[in-house]
Amino acid sequence: MPFENLNNNHYVAAEKTVVGTSLTALETALSAKIKNLSAEERQKYGSINESNKLIVNKVKDYKASQPGLSSPDVDWVEFQSDFDSRDFLQSTITRLQTLIDGLTNNKILHDYDNYQAALTDYDFSKYKASTKAAGYEGKVTAISQFFTGGSTAAKPAKKIEEEI
């Protein structure tokens, strides 16, 4: 017997509304500063890797500890503002990614539960079709088109992973 109802913790309408409202507020708060980059722009500007971040951090450290060694050609107020924004955005992205990971995991469990219930219903429909009960033969035919052969028990994990 397969596992069933791996996640029976469902969202009520009020929770869905709170989440939707919160997401709208977040989108509104960020919309003026969000920039859409083309693939070429991402390639061009996305070159600051981890080692380059170390350079930025070291230059910032020198500016703080020995400002006389810093270039007068750099707008240091803008540098600090960029640094602070980058730090804020990274922290926000990390928090959002944690939420996304949790939501994705939650969805996987609900997908699995739905698929298992659908298989149970399909098996029931096949049984009822074999008894010549009205309507079930058409339902079985309609659902059977999604199975390309083999056992239905081997399909859930693959099907769910493909949707993600």
Side-chain angles (χ1 to χ4, degrees):
M1 181 80 162
F3 290 109
E4 291 184 13
N5 293 321
L6 296 178
N7 191 355
N8 61 2
N9 191 8
H10 303 285
Y11 298 93
V12 298
E15 292 169 321
K16 292 175 185 178
T17 299
V18 168
V19 169
T21 302
S22 299
L23 287 173
T24 299
L26 184 60
E27 290 164 343
T28 301
L30 297 173
S31 67
K33 293 191 171 59
I34 289 186
K35 306 291 185 218
N36 289 319
L37 299 178
S38 67
E40 295 80 25
E41 290 170 324
R42 281 182 179 273
Q43 183 66 33
K44 178 180 177 181
Y45 301 124
S47 63
I48 185 164
N49 57 29
E50 290 304 314
S51 62
N52 291 344
K53 289 175 189 174
L54 295 173
I55 294 169
V56 170
N57 290 338
K58 186 55 74 177
V59 167
K60 182 182 177 296
D61 290 345
Y62 267 100
K63 174 62 177 160
S65 65
Q66 299 179 54
L69 299 177
S70 299
S71 171
D73 297 331
V74 172
D75 180 344
W76 291 103
V77 172
E78 178 64 17
F79 180 92
Q80 187 62 49
S81 293
D82 284 337
F83 191 90
D84 293 344
S85 291
R86 181 175 118 342
D87 188 49
F88 164 74
L89 290 168
Q90 184 58 53
S91 172
T92 302
I93 289 166
T94 300
R95 291 177 67 190
L96 290 171
Q97 189 59 57
T98 299
L99 285 172
I100 289 168
D101 292 346
L103 291 170
T104 300
N105 292 338
N106 195 275
K107 181 185 173 295
I108 287 169
L109 294 176
H110 288 297
D111 284 345
Y112 184 85
D113 285 351
N114 277 154
Y115 187 68
Q116 293 305 312
L119 291 177
T120 298
D121 183 69
Y122 179 59
D123 286 341
F124 172 79
S125 298
K126 289 189 298 186
Y127 162 73
K128 291 298 275 185
S130 74
T131 67
K132 306 296 183 203
Y136 288 99
E137 187 174 321
K139 180 179 178 181
V140 168
T141 300
I143 296 172
S144 68
Q145 69 181 324
F146 300 111
F147 297 101
T148 58
S151 168
T152 58
K155 299 201 183 301
K158 184 174 182 180
K159 286 285 186 190
I160 291 171
E161 288 172 9
E162 289 173 358
E163 292 177 8
I164 295 173

